[in-house]
Amino acid sequence: MPNEIITTLSSSIASMQLNLFDFVVEKPKFDEVLTRRFQRSEITRNVNKNLNLLSNNHFEYLNPICPNCNSNHVIKQEYHERNPILADSGPQKIYLRRYKCKSCSKKFTTSLDSVIKPHHRYVNIYSDKLESLIQTGYRSLRKLGEDFQTFFGNSPSHTTIKKWQTIEVEKRITNTITLYSGYYAYDEQYIRLNGKRHYRLTLYDTILNIPIAEEIAPKRTTEAIKRFIEESTKNQPLIAITTDHFRRYKRIMDKIGVKHQLCIFHLFKMIGNSVHKILKSKNVSKREKITLCLYFTDIKNIFRTYNEETSINRLETLLDKFKDIPKVLQRYLTKKILPDFQRLTHFMISPFIQRTSNKVENYYRQTDPNQIKKIYKTIKGILSYLNQKMKKWTAKHGKNINTQ
């Protein structure tokens, strides 16, 4: 890292003024002179290629042009002093030449915006490194300041770090991928902002294996969920969505007009919870418990195939013995499986439709585990964190699969 500034400047600065001590016993080398002047500085961006670097860190344009009228009739004026903090080198003095345009009478100053923004003390590399620090895991603003102190020897204030966390939207972030597959999983996670319950809405592309949009909503109303899905998939394919068994989802997906796959894992989990209570009961005989487990396995086998005809045959065989099935399983058959059979078997017809919403569940576990999802303060704060997590996840786990 310390040599990056040398490489950048040597390819960017048009000319440089040398001092006598630069000539020791042989002709001075450009890179060696830059090393002495900006030793240990860490600036990775390109500066203006028409810059001229004079002695004692004085910068000016080699061929100044007015940024207002593009005139080259410009006169030089005094230098403007700045005191930027250059990573672990600490504060340094630099001097930027000022100019006045003779054509439009406007004044302007030599720009180093690619290195450090106007009215800022910390060079841009600090805000660049902030993204990397956030991607490794959640940290408070003050903790991030401690990380900067550890790695760079300088600790920006928590308010300064907060300003570097720029999110363009107020309640939603979207992925930069321009074309989605059309096959998604939708889920929600509850979080707390200043102790108040909010919901993290997530639409996940199950083919590309990436989140495509996330939003923070105070309530998970039908209107809010429908709007989020429609706006997130605007001008994008929308073929199928896999969700858990929250009752409201069926009505929402029907309004949107998309194939709705109910999560098989959640179905087994719901039935399993009811079965488990009976298995723990001392009032149920061992024989009844064995019978319950066997019929529960038969229900699972209905969905343990990717062939719809096989699934229907297994269901019909089970219904032939309906009177022998334990009542708890009869209720699930009549109130859940039969009414929603089509929603439970879309994955058997199309290989691209996911049978479970496990991918988005795994994304939640990796990006926002339970121990930190209650410590956020603002919507902007959590979206800043999730935005970096989305970028890292997309780069690491995203797949480029053409489903058309």
Side-chain angles (χ1 to χ4, degrees):
M1 291 287 296
N3 293 326
E4 291 183 11
I5 179 63
I6 308 305
T7 303
T8 302
L9 289 177
S10 63
S11 61
S12 301
I13 296 178
S15 63
M16 182 175 65
Q17 185 181 86
L18 300 175
N19 297 319
L20 287 177
F21 59 78
D22 293 324
F23 298 84
V24 185
V25 292
E26 58 183 7
K27 184 178 179 179
K29 297 180 180 179
F30 193 77
D31 287 353
E32 292 180 357
V33 176
L34 281 175
T35 301
R36 287 196 296 270
R37 295 192 185 182
F38 292 92
Q39 190 172 10
R40 296 173 61 80
S41 296
E42 301 181 4
I43 302 175
T44 60
R45 300 168 180 252
N46 290 328
V47 293
N48 191 303
K49 290 183 179 296
N50 292 323
L51 282 179
N52 187 18
L53 174 58
L54 306 177
S55 60
N56 298 324
N57 297 343
H58 286 63
F59 288 87
E60 65 178 31
Y61 289 129
L62 191 64
N63 298 300
I65 297 177
C66 177
N68 184 57
C69 66
N70 294 324
S71 172
N72 57 2
H73 297 290
V74 175
I75 56 176
K76 295 181 179 180
Q77 295 189 327
E78 76 286 356
Y79 283 99
H80 168 62
E81 178 183 326
R82 292 192 65 178
N83 298 278
I85 298 177
L86 302 179
D88 55 356
S89 297
Q92 291 193 12
K93 285 186 179 182
I94 62 173
Y95 302 87
L96 305 177
R97 172 77 76 178
R98 285 175 170 165
Y99 305 89
K100 182 176 181 180
C101 178
K102 297 177 67 175
S103 300
C104 65
S105 299
K106 296 288 185 179
K107 294 184 179 182
F108 61 96
T109 305
T110 304
S111 173
L112 284 181
D113 291 357
S114 57
V115 177
I116 180 171
K117 295 179 181 179
H119 313 296
H120 284 223
R121 288 207 67 196
Y122 291 93
V123 290
N124 296 335
I125 190 176
Y126 277 86
S127 57
D128 292 343
K129 291 301 177 185
L130 177 63
E131 295 186 4
S132 300
L133 291 175
I134 293 176
Q135 287 177 358
T136 60
Y138 176 78
R139 288 173 172 81
S140 67
L141 296 177
R142 288 177 172 81
K143 180 60 179 176
L144 287 169
E146 295 176 6
D147 292 338
F148 278 114
Q149 180 66 44
T150 301
F151 292 109
F152 298 109
N154 292 283
S155 178
S157 68
H158 66 280
T159 54
T160 298
I161 296 175
K162 184 177 181 180
K163 292 178 182 178
W164 293 341
Q165 295 179 323
T166 55
I167 293 293
E168 295 182 358
V169 295
E170 291 296 327
K171 293 184 179 180
R172 185 184 306 166
I173 56 175
T174 56
N175 208 312
T176 56
I177 301 299
T178 56
L179 181 62
Y180 307 145
S181 70
Y183 298 90
Y184 311 104
Y186 171 81
D187 205 352
E188 301 153 359
Q189 181 188 50
Y190 87 87
I191 60 173
R192 291 191 179 275
L193 300 178
N194 268 342
K196 294 183 179 180
R197 191 181 185 99
H198 286 69
Y199 291 90
R200 172 189 177 185
L201 315 183
T202 303
L203 192 62
Y204 194 94
D205 192 310
T206 56
I207 302 298
L208 300 181
N209 196 31
I210 58 172
I212 66 169
E214 295 203 68
E215 180 176 314
I216 305 301
K219 295 181 180 180
R220 53 173 179 174
T221 63
T222 299
E223 294 74 18
I225 297 172
K226 179 176 179 292
R227 174 185 49 78
F228 167 71
I229 294 175
E230 289 179 333
E231 292 180 359
S232 299
T233 56
K234 186 178 181 180
N235 300 323
Q236 293 285 347
L238 180 55
I239 303 170
I241 299 180
T242 302
T243 71
D244 60 30
H245 294 253
F246 186 50
R247 293 181 180 179
R248 192 174 298 165
Y249 292 157
K250 293 193 290 186
R251 183 166 65 255
I252 294 172
M253 300 308 160
D254 289 344
K255 287 183 177 180
I256 295 176
V258 65
K259 291 181 181 178
H260 181 207
Q261 171 67 44
L262 290 171
C263 178
I264 302 300
F265 171 78
H266 282 85
L267 174 67
F268 292 169
K269 186 177 179 180
M270 283 191 301
I271 302 175
N273 289 338
S274 299
V275 169
H276 183 65
K277 293 178 181 179
I278 298 175
L279 295 178
K280 291 195 303 180
S281 175
K282 296 181 180 180
N283 298 324
V284 180
S285 68
K286 185 175 182 180
R287 183 184 182 88
E288 290 175 322
K289 291 180 180 179
I290 294 174
T291 301
L292 179 62
C293 291
L294 290 175
Y295 278 110
F296 183 27
T297 300
D298 288 340
I299 290 177
K300 289 182 178 179
N301 289 336
I302 296 173
F303 306 100
R304 286 174 171 168
T305 177
Y306 286 88
N307 186 288
E308 186 182 23
E309 184 177 352
T310 301
S311 177
I312 294 174
N313 290 335
R314 290 175 180 176
L315 176 60
E316 290 176 346
T317 301
L318 186 61
L319 292 177
D320 290 339
K321 302 179 290 184
F322 186 79
K323 292 182 179 180
D324 299 327
I325 299 174
K327 290 185 178 180
V328 62
L329 298 181
Q330 286 181 356
R331 287 195 296 270
Y332 278 104
L333 281 169
T334 56
K335 295 184 178 180
K336 186 63 185 175
I337 294 176
L338 289 175
D340 293 333
F341 188 75
Q342 186 179 18
R343 297 179 192 267
L344 292 165
T345 56
H346 277 305
F347 75 94
M348 300 179 188
I349 301 173
S350 173
F352 297 118
I353 298 177
Q354 292 291 310
R355 65 197 298 267
T356 72
S357 58
N358 290 353
K359 286 190 175 182
V360 67
E361 294 279 359
N362 182 55
Y363 177 67
Y364 280 157
R365 286 192 295 270
Q366 298 296 323
T367 60
D368 197 23
N370 288 333
Q371 62 266 30
I372 68 171
K373 71 178 184 180
K374 299 180 181 180
I375 62 178
Y376 301 107
K377 299 298 182 183
T378 64
I379 291 178
K380 182 177 180 180
I382 185 175
L383 286 180
S384 296
Y385 169 70
L386 295 177
N387 188 49
Q388 301 305 325
K389 280 295 183 180
M390 179 183 286
K391 290 180 181 178
K392 184 178 181 180
W393 184 277
T394 300
K396 186 176 181 180
H397 301 286
K399 298 178 181 178
N400 185 15
I401 299 177
N402 185 8
T403 62
Q404 304 302 319

